[in-house]
Amino acid sequence: MAALLPSTLSIQKESKAIAIKETSLFGAALPTSLKAEFSPCFNKELRKKLSVGPIKAQTAATTPAVNQPSEKKTLRKGTAIITGASSGLGLATAKALAETGKWHVIMACRNFLKAEKAAKSAGIPKENYNVMHLDLASLDSVRQFVDTFRRSGRALDVLVCNAAVYLPTAKEPTFTADGFELSVGTNHLGHFLLSRLLLDDLKQSDYPQRRLIIVGSITGNTNTLAGNVPPKANLGDLRGLAGGLNGVGSSSMIDGGEFDGAKAYKDSKVCNMLTMQEFHRRYHEETGVAFSSLYPGCIAETGLFREHVPLFRLLFPPFQKYITKGYVSEEEAGKRLAQVVSDPSLSKSGVYWSWNKNSSSFENQLSKEASDTEKARKLWEVSEKLVGLA
Ligand code: NDP
Ligand code: PMR
C-alpha cells in the first residue's frame, strides 16, 4: 500500500479531471458513479449492460490430475528461463522455484540492474539464479539472448514466456525496434521468435518433463465477464498483422482497426493462447514437450498497471479483492505458475490452467476465438514471416 501513497496524493489533484474523462475507468462504458460500479450487485447489472453471452465459471470444479508420469528418483536440478522476471509474476515465480533448490532460474530481463536488485531484495538464493539480458521488443536482442544462453552450456528444461507490457492510456501507438506495435510486438512476436528458437534446446534436454509455458489471461477470453469489458479482444482476419502492424502501410492493430492500447494487450494475450495450442498441435507428439498457458488470477498490484491512471491503480486492487474476488497476491500467483513449471500433475500439454477459490488448478475453457484452430494456424504463419522464420 505504501507504494500507492504518491498516487493517492496525485488523485486529490487529478480526480476531477479523471472523473469526467475516465467515465470508463473500469473499461465498461460506465457513466454512472463509481458508487454504482462498486455495488455488490454489479454482476447482474453489468452483465446486462455488457450483453455478455454464456459465461464459463472461472471457478469450475477441479479437473482430476492427468498424466502423472513417475519421477526419477534423483532428478538433476532443472533450468527454467523466465522472461520478465524483474517484477510481478515473473519475479514471484523465480523465487518460488529457486527456493526449492531444485531449479536454476535464468531471469531473462531487459533491465539487468533492476532484475539483479529485485532478485536480491526478494532473497532469491544467488546460487540458484542468474540474470541474462533480453529485450523482447527487439528481434536482434531475442536472437542474441538465444546465442548467449547456448554459449552458457546449460540444458534448457522449461521456458516461461511471461513478460508483457500494457499501455491502456496511450493515444498513439509506439513501436518495437522492428517497427511492430509495442504490445503485440513484445508480448506476442518477441515471445514467438524466442520460443521457436528455444524449442530446439528443449528438444535436446534429457529432463523428464520439458515444458513451454506462455502466460495468457482471462481478459483475452470473451467467454468470461472480464473478457467482455470493452474494448474486447478480437483479431479479426489478421489483416493488420499481415500488413506488418507498423501503422504506416497498415494498421497498428491486428484486426486492422484504429489503435487502442487496451485492446492491443488483450489481442496479444489471445495470440499467446493460440500460439500455445498451435505449438501443441505441431510439436507435442514429436518432441514430448508439454505446452501450456494459464490465467494466474488477478494480480492487481503488479507493474503491469504502471501506465494506467492513478485512480485506477488505487481502486483496482480493492475492486478485485472485495467485489470480483478475483484478486491474488504476487506470491500466490508465483506459486501457481511455479506449479505449471514443475508439478508432475500439471504436465498435460495443450491446456489453459486456472485455479478455483481453494487455489486448486483446473483445465479451463478458452473462448471461441482463443481456441480457433484455423486462426491459430494463420497467426503462426503470419508471425513466422514477421519475425524472419519463413
Ligand atoms: P509486471 O509489469 O510486473 O511484469 C512484466 C515484466 O515484463 C517486467 O519484468 C518487465 O520488465 C517485463 N518486460 C516488459 N517489456 C519487456 C521487454 N521488452 N523485454 C523484456 N521484458 C520486458 O506485470 P505482471 O507480473 O502482472 O505480468 C506478468 C504476466 O502476467 C504478463 O504476461 C501478463 O499478461 C500476465 N497476467 C497478469 C495479470 C495481472 O493481473 N497482473 C493477470 C493475467 C495475466 P521491467 O521490469 O524492466 O519493466
Ligand atoms: Mg477486470 C468478474 C471478474 C473480473 C475479473 C476476474 C477481472 C480480472 N475483471 C473482472 C471484472 C471486471 N473488470 C468488471 C466487471 C469491470 C468493469 C467495471 C472490469 C474492468 C476492468 C478494467 C478497466 N478490468 C480490468 C481493467 C483493466 O485495465 C485490466 C485489464 O484489462 O488489463 C488488460 C483489468 C483486468 N480485470 C481482470 C484482470 C486479470 C485484469 C488485468 C490483467 C490482465 O488481463 O492481464
Side-chain angles (χ1 to χ4, degrees), residues 84-90 110-111 114 134-137 162-165 186 215-217 265 269 295-300 302-306:
S86 52
S87 69
L89 177 61
R110 63 177 164 176
N111 184 334
K114 180 179 174 184
L134 167 66
D135 181 357
L136 288 157
N162 160 78
V165 287
T186 305
V215 179
S217 182
Y265 170 88
K269 289 285 115 184
Y295 167 57
C298 186
I299 330 160
T302 70
L304 194 68
F305 310 104
R306 67 187 95 175

Side-chain angles (χ1 to χ4, degrees), residues 24-30 37-38 42-43 46-47 50 58 164 166 168 215-220 224-227 229-231 261-263 265-266 269 295-300 302 304-305 308 312 316 319-320 323-327:
S24 60
L25 181 71
F26 276 155
L30 298 170
E37 200 173 279
F38 281 84
F42 82 98
N43 233 336
L46 266 160
R47 278 186 195 192
L50 299 170
Q58 289 293 308
Y166 174 42
V215 179
S217 182
I218 194 171
T219 53
T224 65
L225 176 59
V229 174
K263 181 175 183 298
Y265 170 88
K266 293 175 191 178
K269 289 285 115 184
Y295 167 57
C298 186
I299 330 160
T302 70
L304 194 68
F305 310 104
H308 224 312
F312 176 90
F316 192 53
F319 173 65
Q320 293 294 343
I323 312 290
T324 73
K325 309 249 191 318
Y327 173 90

Side-chain angles (χ1 to χ4, degrees), residues 82 85 89-99 105 107 124 128-129 334 338:
I82 304 179
L89 177 61
L91 179 63
T93 307
K95 182 173 159 72
L97 288 172
E99 276 179 354
V105 178
M107 300 170 67
I124 303 181
N128 291 347
Y129 81 90

Side-chain angles (χ1 to χ4, degrees), residues 244-259:
L245 216 61
N246 54 32
V248 184
S250 84
S251 164
S252 58
M253 298 294 289
I254 294 181
D255 65 357
E258 285 285 297
F259 174 71

